[in-house]
Amino acid sequence: EGFIVSANQQLPVELLPDPALVISHEWAPKARHDRISQLLQTQIASGTPFSLEQMRHIQGDRIDLSALALLPKLQAVQATTPRETAALTELAHWQGEFAADSVGATLFATWAYNLKQELFGNLQNVGWQRPGKENLIGSAIDRMDWFRLSDALAGGDWCQPNQSSPCAGELQRSLANSLKQLDKITGSSDPQQWRWGELITTEFIHQPFGRVKGMEGLFNRKLHAGASPNSVNAANMQFDALKGF
């Protein structure tokens, strides 16, 4: 192709000197690799030479292709309340970019989190005095990317049977839970106040003083910006029911 893209994705077997060679059993989803390839191919097709600014644009890109894989299944949900109608209208115009001023990004990420809990949260009920197993399952659920979540919805095996459409009840309940959570976290029932940059906080913790009580304010730094786990400008995230992401 004339270029090489590496974003921790699994390498094609044909690129290995020996197909039996094991490099890793853990790979990043393909979203970042595919998005970088898209942007490079678009630039090449335009016939315009690459510049520092264009490469900076690619490095800072915040469109997440794994979100776009799941998004149509969320957009297809039928609203049952005016608030759900407003949320779905917002998502209908969202194009997968986790920009700091995006309300759609906030709705999507919160809904996807609650949907995972709705589908798989009961798996953590593994029995009394088995915290190790419970933590392992919880970690696996947290690490599930949006490609795999979309696949889980397509099969419907994780959902209650005899519903109007696959996983209809799970989708509806997780949407309702998300709206309640966002009300609580933001202190506002107005979706226009739910901007992604306000809900996701990036914290840079100093080593070692960032963990010392009374000193953390001097050494640690926080900022609010866009990005997602599988956008080119990657930012891993964890959900906190009181603070957001």
Side-chain angles (χ1 to χ4, degrees), residues 59-75:
Q59 292 283 342
D61 187 78
R62 297 173 295 194
I63 289 179
D64 192 324
L65 297 186
S66 67
L68 292 177
L70 176 61
L71 183 61
K73 295 181 173 65
L74 305 187
Q75 292 172 329

Side-chain angles (χ1 to χ4, degrees), residues 81-144:
T81 67
R83 296 201 64 213
E84 290 180 4
T85 298
L88 288 166
T89 299
E90 194 71 45
L91 273 183
H93 300 293
W94 186 60
Q95 297 181 319
E97 183 176 9
F98 284 79
D101 62 351
S102 174
V103 175
T106 299
L107 287 165
F108 176 89
T110 309
W111 192 354
Y113 169 81
N114 280 287
L115 181 57
K116 285 198 286 188
Q117 301 307 309
E118 188 71 39
L119 292 176
F120 308 112
N122 63 328
L123 296 177
Q124 291 180 267
N125 301 324
V126 293
W128 185 52
Q129 290 190 338
R130 302 174 94 179
K133 188 173 182 181
E134 182 177 332
N135 291 340
L136 181 63
I137 293 173
S139 175
I141 295 171
D142 286 341
R143 288 164 61 87
M144 174 180 281

Side-chain angles (χ1 to χ4, degrees), residues 218-237:
L218 295 173
F219 289 92
N220 295 345
R221 293 292 178 265
K222 294 182 180 180
L223 60 85
H224 295 274
S228 72
N230 292 308
S231 57
V232 181
N233 182 15
N236 196 18
M237 61 191 189

Side-chain angles (χ1 to χ4, degrees), residues 5-11 24 26-30 32-33 36 234:
V5 177
S6 177
N8 301 322
Q9 79 281 2
Q10 186 167 6
L11 296 175
S24 175
E26 184 176 8
W27 306 95
K30 63 179 182 177
R32 297 178 69 242
H33 165 272
I36 295 169

Side-chain angles (χ1 to χ4, degrees), residues 29-228:
K30 63 179 182 177
R32 297 178 69 242
H33 165 272
D34 289 355
R35 179 62 180 162
I36 295 169
S37 296
Q38 280 183 1
L39 293 168
L40 290 175
Q41 289 164 346
T42 298
Q43 182 67 23
I44 291 168
S46 73
T48 306
F50 284 95
S51 68
L52 179 61
E53 277 305 309
Q54 286 155 344
M55 296 306 295
R56 191 194 309 271
H57 171 73
I58 292 174
Q59 292 283 342
D61 187 78
R62 297 173 295 194
I63 289 179
D64 192 324
L65 297 186
S66 67
L68 292 177
L70 176 61
L71 183 61
K73 295 181 173 65
L74 305 187
Q75 292 172 329
V77 172
Q78 299 298 310
T80 60
T81 67
R83 296 201 64 213
E84 290 180 4
T85 298
L88 288 166
T89 299
E90 194 71 45
L91 273 183
H93 300 293
W94 186 60
Q95 297 181 319
E97 183 176 9
F98 284 79
D101 62 351
S102 174
V103 175
T106 299
L107 287 165
F108 176 89
T110 309
W111 192 354
Y113 169 81
N114 280 287
L115 181 57
K116 285 198 286 188
Q117 301 307 309
E118 188 71 39
L119 292 176
F120 308 112
N122 63 328
L123 296 177
Q124 291 180 267
N125 301 324
V126 293
W128 185 52
Q129 290 190 338
R130 302 174 94 179
K133 188 173 182 181
E134 182 177 332
N135 291 340
L136 181 63
I137 293 173
S139 175
I141 295 171
D142 286 341
R143 288 164 61 87
M144 174 180 281
D145 63 67
W146 295 326
F147 284 126
R148 294 183 182 276
L149 184 55
S150 178
D151 291 342
L153 287 176
D157 297 335
W158 299 98
C159 304
Q160 294 177 359
N162 304 319
Q163 300 188 99
S164 58
S165 60
C167 304
E170 288 79 3
L171 284 161
Q172 197 75 56
R173 288 191 296 274
S174 55
L175 172 58
N177 289 338
S178 298
L179 297 179
K180 291 177 184 176
Q181 281 183 334
L182 288 170
D183 283 349
K184 185 174 182 180
I185 293 169
T186 64
S188 173
S189 59
D190 178 8
Q192 295 309 309
Q193 303 302 315
W194 300 348
R195 293 180 176 85
W196 181 237
E198 296 301 316
L199 260 79
I200 186 166
T201 303
T202 302
E203 184 172 14
F204 298 90
I205 300 176
H206 185 273
Q207 302 294 337
F209 299 123
R211 304 288 186 186
V212 179
K213 190 173 183 180
M215 300 184 69
E216 66 272 19
L218 295 173
F219 289 92
N220 295 345
R221 293 292 178 265
K222 294 182 180 180
L223 60 85
H224 295 274
S228 72

